[in-house]
Amino acid sequence: MRKFIISALIFVLVFSIAAPGFTAAAEDDFDAKTPVTIDGVKYENVALEKSYERTGDVYDGKWTDTGTDGKPLGKMTDGVVAANGNDEAIGCYKGGETSVTIDLGQAYAIKQVTTDLYGFAEWGIPDPSVAEVTVSVSSDGKSFAKIGDAEKSDEIPKEGWKLRLFTLTLDQTVAARYVRVTYKIQGTFCWTSEVAVFGSEDLSGSSQPPETSSESSQPAESSAAGSQPAAQSKASTSSTASAKESSAPADSEEQAEESLTWLYILIGVVVVVVAVGIAVVVANKKKKE
Ligand SMILES: [Ca+2]
């Protein structure tokens, strides 16, 4: 019986330590509109509705992200994640190496960057398993420094499509205004629907981007400068709505988190009471003996 009580107490301890982790999103859940909580700190998607530039050849048709004026349609930062590769939320640019560079409007402490890539062999869209996604940042929009390679998720089947999420999570936040995501896809069609940059306005504790020369960190844009599409995307700032005034964090979100925390506390208390009850019963039994 004593063993059981010790086990129950260990369970309570482990549960109370692990419980906050339960609120983190599952790995195959890419929700660009919901803030993420990492190590107890909440980060908003600061790229939402922000303007961006793209490199790569223009794709014409249903899955384009280029308007008749040659500017991006804004699919990459509208918060809409494609339901599958056939979804019009996909914004395609052509080329083995393309990039999207988002202007956050001001410096943010960047913690996590996430994007998605779809593959479909029958349409000649390369399997994301062979893709590499890197993230660079800049303070001035000119000199970019690579901050890491995004980690590839396991394959997530989506109605015949092969989806993988690419996520870079930094140990220490980096302060930057511009974020560039570069896709090396081993094929022609970069099939993606969103880039989310999770960060906060609190720059204290953030590192500055490492100093680098602009050559080593500006991949697609400068190398493709001669071609028409690159020149186009360079000239276009963006069609997306200009940076919204930072809106107040979703209250309902916070309330939900708070009520979850209370639920965990309640469960913890119940378990402790049950454990103590059992201990008392056992003690009484022993007394009688
Ligand atoms: Ca989108």
Side-chain angles (χ1 to χ4, degrees):
M1 203 56 178
R2 189 174 288 172
K3 266 186 189 168
F4 175 79
I5 293 164
I6 291 168
S7 305
L9 288 173
I10 288 171
F11 173 79
V12 170
L13 189 68
V14 169
F15 186 84
S16 58
I17 291 166
F22 293 164
T23 54
E27 198 197 0
D28 62 350
D29 181 23
F30 181 19
D31 181 351
K33 288 179 178 168
T34 303
V36 297
T37 302
I38 302 168
D39 299 332
V41 181
K42 187 169 161 184
Y43 300 94
E44 308 273 342
N45 177 6
V46 295
L48 214 52
E49 305 292 338
K50 299 291 168 68
S51 62
Y52 59 91
E53 295 181 10
R54 286 286 303 254
T55 65
D57 290 338
V58 170
Y59 180 91
D60 284 321
K62 187 177 161 188
W63 301 283
T64 189
D65 183 39
T66 308
T68 48
D69 57 359
K71 292 178 180 175
L73 294 174
K75 286 183 178 181
M76 301 312 300
T77 57
D78 60 2
V80 179
V81 174
N84 60 57
N86 195 8
D87 195 318
E88 274 184 54
I90 296 287
C92 175
Y93 282 82
K94 295 194 287 182
E97 183 174 322
T98 59
S99 69
V100 46
T101 304
I102 303 167
D103 179 358
L104 302 175
Q106 66 178 74
Y108 285 94
I110 295 157
K111 182 68 177 177
Q112 189 177 71
V113 178
T114 302
T115 188
D116 53 354
L117 266 181
Y118 282 87
F120 192 48
E122 284 169 47
W123 290 12
I125 302 168
D127 189 332
S129 66
V130 297
E132 284 171 44
V133 175
T134 58
V135 181
S136 311
V137 296
S138 170
S139 300
D140 59 6
K142 290 172 190 148
S143 177
F144 282 79
K146 181 177 162 179
I147 53 168
D149 296 308
E151 204 174 303
K152 214 177 283 184
S153 74
D154 290 336
E155 188 178 301
I156 304 160
K158 287 266 177 185
E159 296 153 50
W161 293 81
K162 294 177 170 181
L163 163 66
R164 281 180 201 257
L165 301 181
F166 291 77
T167 305
L168 174 67
T169 307
L170 300 170
D171 292 336
Q172 187 190 7
T173 56
V174 62
R177 172 174 166 174
Y178 298 87
V179 176
R180 173 174 293 163
V181 176
T182 303
Y183 304 86
K184 292 179 194 170
I185 56 166
Q186 312 288 332
T188 307
F189 306 103
C190 184
W191 220 253
T192 174
S193 75
E194 190 75 9
V195 176
V197 178
F198 294 100
S200 80
E201 286 187 27
D202 179 10
L203 300 178
S204 61
S206 288
S207 67
Q208 292 299 314
E211 294 286 330
T212 51
S213 71
S214 50
E215 300 124 41
S216 63
S217 57
Q218 273 199 314
E221 216 161 69
S222 49
S223 64
S227 73
Q228 199 62 21
Q232 267 181 11
S233 61
K234 209 167 190 177
S236 66
T237 356
S238 161
S239 62
T240 23
S242 58
K244 279 182 185 168
E245 279 304 304
S246 57
S247 51
D251 285 341
S252 59
E253 201 90 34
E254 276 179 1
Q255 278 168 3
E257 250 171 51
E258 203 175 304
S259 49
L260 255 183
T261 308
W262 279 112
L263 180 68
Y264 292 135
I265 291 170
L266 187 69
I267 292 170
V269 167
V270 168
V271 172
V272 169
V273 167
V274 169
V276 169
I278 290 167
V280 169
V281 169
V282 170
N284 283 343
K285 222 178 177 185
K286 276 196 173 162
K287 251 186 200 170
K288 279 180 189 170
E289 280 165 13

